[in-house]
Amino acid sequence: MQILQNKKIVLGITGGIAAYKTPELVRRLKDKGADVRVVMTEGAKAFITPLTLQAVSANSVSDSLLDTQAELAMGHIELAKWADLILIAPATADTIARISNGMANDLLTTICLATSAPIAIAPAMNQQMWHAQVTQENITRLSNRQVNIFGPGSGEQACGDIGMGRMLDVSELVELTCQFFSKNKTPDVQKAQQKLIEQPCIGQHWVITAGPTREAIDPVRYISNHSSGKMGYAIAAAALQAGAKVTLISGPVTISPPENCDLIQVESAQNMHEKALEHGKNATVFVACAAVADYRVANIAEQKIKKSAETMQLNLIKNPDIVADVAALTNKPFTVGFAAETQDIEHYALGKLKRKNLDMIAANNVAIAGQGFNSENNALTVFYTDGKVEIPLASKQNVAQRLVSLIQQTYLKQVN
Ligand code: C5P
């Protein structure tokens, strides 16, 4: 017997670009034995015609709450009672918001309110909309009400962005629907699968360096720089949110570390070097975001240096290159460097990528006011083997989420 034999599925299609995949979804569900009735919102009809879905489903398509003829044929309450499952794919941010608020201002939301059947939604939207706090609150609310959340996946989006929010592929949706109906699959298994989609870095160990280093001159003075640590800390938070175990090796900063990370506080480049090698050798991903001092004082004075001559000289020696040494490890983690440049960004970034044997380098122009060092915002140009990706000016949290998503996908490609 086919796995979806005798299963009655109402497929709700809402107005997202992924609606173009739904005829294929209907066919694959029918291949498995399901009887599918399609309900479309007004927005969905801008992307795909009811006629196409009528042809593939071999059932009439419902699209209006107030259509007397349609209500005569199979009214909204009948459809709500008929369904064994209501699957909404793609589910836009707007539809998710309306369902989570119990609205009934079109046919699909009315059916959702009127049904006692389980509901599954396959979110599909721009990554920024997906990460918006209100969308996340709506999703949590639906999830708490036992609505099944299928996806979303992450990757390149129709608008050119990269991140979470893509509708899962048709094959994944069919698989999740089959699992939903399968007696053998417990809700726990479904939860575990959902967790992996939401937290793609589960099982990975990320080591991140952040902040400045301090190079002592004498017991009271040091050489340092303006790094605030905000970018590195935001990357640590985004990697934790994506499910990774995070070790954050940080120079002296005034901000608080994200909860649940393993914080290792260091002062000098040499301290940071030692800790980076110790933890980097067991890491899957290493991100060098720290602004490491290139030189340190050759002979640190044991006592405070007294003021005397009109001029004085400090003898400096080169610090070890931390990221290059991690990239030279036998079991090298996926290694990401940063390049803070004031000119000729691409040329210098690509030079560092090659010279330090990195897998990826994120370059930012620190000469532009309002981004980079000590600011709340940043913009990056990321270079790696597949080419380059621009992450436009946004908060460091937002830039970090996009960078983590790009690193995670590129790393996975490399290991698979
Ligand atoms: O060579 P440059 O300092 O511009 O390279 C920047 C990148 O190298 C950053 O990722 C920084 O964290 C890393 N770096 C390092 N150790 C150093 C100098 C830089 O890990 N001594």
Side-chain angles (χ1 to χ4, degrees):
M1 185 170 123
Q2 288 169 299
I3 196 154
L4 297 180
Q5 194 74 47
N6 302 326
K7 300 293 182 233
K8 299 192 271 302
I9 298 176
V10 166
L11 175 64
I13 304 176
T14 73
I17 178 68
Y20 82 89
K21 297 181 182 171
T22 54
E24 182 64 13
L25 177 59
V26 172
R27 293 182 64 155
R28 298 286 81 89
L29 291 170
K30 280 174 67 72
D31 285 350
K32 303 261 182 210
D35 189 2
V36 181
R37 286 184 175 269
V38 172
V39 173
M40 298 177 79
T41 61
E42 274 309 303
K45 289 192 281 180
F47 292 93
I48 185 120
T49 69
L51 195 59
T52 308
L53 289 146
Q54 180 177 301
V56 289
S57 69
N59 277 320
S60 59
V61 169
S62 309
D63 59 4
S64 167
L65 188 57
L66 306 171
D67 182 330
T68 44
Q69 285 308 311
E71 281 293 298
L72 259 185
M74 193 180 220
H76 62 278
I77 300 292
E78 263 173 291
L79 264 174
K81 284 188 178 153
W82 175 83
D84 293 320
L85 172 71
I86 294 173
L87 170 62
I88 305 179
T92 57
D94 172 71
T95 303
I96 290 168
R98 286 187 295 123
I99 298 173
S100 92
N101 279 292
M103 290 178 74
N105 55 350
D106 64 6
L107 180 62
L108 183 59
T109 49
T110 305
I111 291 173
C112 286
L113 205 57
T115 194
S116 59
I119 299 174
I121 62 168
M125 68 198 72
N126 163 271
Q127 53 89 21
Q128 188 80 49
M129 292 169 77
W130 170 253
H131 288 297
Q133 192 180 342
V134 66
T135 305
Q136 289 304 311
E137 283 168 8
N138 289 334
I139 288 286
T140 307
R141 221 159 155 196
L142 290 177
S143 179
N144 289 342
R145 284 187 217 139
Q146 317 311 321
V147 170
N148 298 271
I149 320 288
F150 290 174
S154 67
E156 182 127 17
Q157 305 200 304
C159 54
D161 279 7
I162 294 171
M164 295 274 291
R166 281 169 58 95
M167 186 174 84
L168 291 185
D169 287 340
V170 165
S171 58
E172 292 172 299
L173 290 177
V174 172
E175 175 60 24
L176 286 168
T177 307
C178 291
Q179 282 171 17
F180 173 81
F181 281 112
S182 161
K183 297 268 185 304
N184 301 328
K185 298 280 178 183
T186 64
D188 283 354
V189 173
Q190 287 185 23
K191 264 198 190 143
Q193 282 162 341
Q194 176 60 26
K195 205 160 179 217
L196 243 189
I197 292 166
E198 278 167 12
Q199 298 201 298
C201 296
I202 283 178
Q204 295 176 21
H205 178 198
W206 288 42
V207 176
I208 298 162
T209 68
T213 62
R214 271 185 194 169
E215 310 302 326
I217 299 171
D218 67 15
V220 295
R221 302 184 181 95
Y222 55 80
I223 302 171
S224 191
N225 58 62
H226 290 296
S227 171
S228 63
K230 284 178 191 158
M231 192 66 228
Y233 278 46
I235 294 170
L240 281 163
Q241 199 185 7
K245 166 178 150 66
V246 172
T247 303
L248 179 58
I249 305 174
S250 175
V253 293
T254 53
I255 56 175
S256 308
E259 262 178 46
N260 301 327
C261 80
D262 215 346
L263 178 68
I264 298 174
Q265 288 168 303
V266 295
E267 289 259 331
S268 68
Q270 282 181 303
N271 295 156
M272 189 176 271
H273 182 253
E274 183 197 330
K275 295 294 176 192
L277 288 183
E278 182 186 330
H279 295 274
K281 65 176 189 283
N282 300 318
T284 46
V285 174
F286 181 83
V287 184
C289 197
V292 184
D294 291 327
Y295 292 89
R296 68 180 181 276
V297 177
N299 299 303
I300 303 170
E302 276 180 25
Q303 304 299 332
K304 184 180 170 196
I305 300 170
K306 289 286 178 200
K307 181 167 41 179
S308 54
E310 282 306 306
T311 61
M312 73 171 286
Q313 273 163 5
L314 286 175
N315 203 7
L316 301 177
I317 51 173
K318 212 168 189 178
N319 270 327
D321 193 309
I322 301 170
V323 74
D325 286 353
V326 169
L329 287 169
T330 332
N331 262 338
K332 171 196 174 197
F334 185 90
T335 308
V336 184
F338 269 73
E341 306 294 347
T342 52
Q343 55 171 339
D344 222 353
I345 293 178
E346 180 152 354
H347 172 73
Y348 286 117
L350 288 176
K352 282 175 197 173
L353 183 74
K354 203 159 173 237
R355 197 169 58 251
K356 301 190 186 204
N357 190 30
L358 307 178
D359 298 292
M360 187 178 270
I361 191 153
N364 58 343
N365 190 336
V366 285
I368 301 176
Q371 69 183 56
F373 263 172
N374 227 339
S375 115
E376 296 307 318
N377 298 325
N378 207 0
L380 298 172
T381 309
V382 185
F383 300 92
Y384 60 118
T385 35
D386 284 0
K388 76 172 178 183
V389 167
E390 296 286 350
I391 302 185
L393 188 66
S395 69
K396 285 186 173 170
Q397 283 70 23
N398 192 294
V399 168
Q401 281 169 355
R402 298 185 60 175
L403 180 64
V404 165
S405 177
L406 181 65
I407 293 172
Q408 190 270 333
Q409 283 160 34
T410 316
Y411 162 68
L412 274 191
K413 251 197 215 166
Q414 199 184 75
V415 292
N416 286 332

